[in-house]
Amino acid sequence: DAAEAAVQGQLRPWEAELWMTMRSAASVAREMRSSLGTACLAQVYLAEDVVDEADEIADRTLQYIRRDNKAADPLLTCAIVPKLPKGGLVEVSLLCGPAAASATAPRAADGDDDDGGVVDGAA
């Protein structure tokens, strides 16, 4: 039972995968001078093993996005797929916009942040 596992401090496999996925996505977004809070589209791909938990997974995905921006309201889709890479249970694809200037967003040395989302040093 999921509630019992949560009380005992155990993560379900999809919870650990989603946490790692969203943590990685947040790091990539920061490098691209953005954040999860600027997501306008979140596509969640689920393995057939977690179909019964799709609503909870979608809700948890939104919670991760809204950590950066409580008002974030991306279009969120869920698709059940026959198989994910490496036998995974959850994959998330995000489309994020540019972040507002902030202390956490790195800036180009020349002050020109309009580089089409290319990380400094990348061609």
Side-chain angles (χ1 to χ4, degrees), residues 25 69 78 108 111:
N69 176 3
C78 282

Side-chain angles (χ1 to χ4, degrees), residues 70-83:
K70 293 179 197 281
D73 192 26
L75 174 63
L76 190 136
T77 65
C78 282
I80 310 306
V81 295
K83 186 176 179 183

Side-chain angles (χ1 to χ4, degrees), residues 2 5 8 12 23 29-30 32 40 55 57 70 88 91 104 108:
Q8 295 176 1
R12 291 168 282 181
R23 186 176 125 192
R30 271 192 304 278
M32 300 300 293
C40 55
D55 289 339
I57 294 169
K70 293 179 197 281
E91 272 298 321
T104 58

Side-chain angles (χ1 to χ4, degrees), residues 6-7 13-14 48 58-59 64 68 84 86 88 106 114 117 119:
V7 169
W14 70 261
E48 293 174 341
D59 183 57
Y64 281 114
D68 287 341
L84 286 168
K86 298 183 182 178
D114 190 18
V119 177

Side-chain angles (χ1 to χ4, degrees), residues 28-52:
V28 170
R30 271 192 304 278
E31 287 298 317
M32 300 300 293
R33 297 186 189 99
S34 192
S35 74
L36 295 183
T38 66
C40 55
L41 173 65
Q43 296 173 300
V44 181
Y45 301 96
L46 305 174
E48 293 174 341
D49 294 346
V50 293
V51 169
D52 294 338

Side-chain angles (χ1 to χ4, degrees), residues 3-4 11 18-19 22-23 25 28 34-37 44 65 70 74 77 79 93 95 100-101 103 108 110 119-120:
E4 184 178 315
L11 291 176
L18 183 60
W19 176 79
M22 297 306 285
R23 186 176 125 192
V28 170
S34 192
S35 74
L36 295 183
V44 181
I65 291 168
K70 293 179 197 281
T77 65
S93 176
L95 178 61
D110 64 358
V119 177
D120 291 338

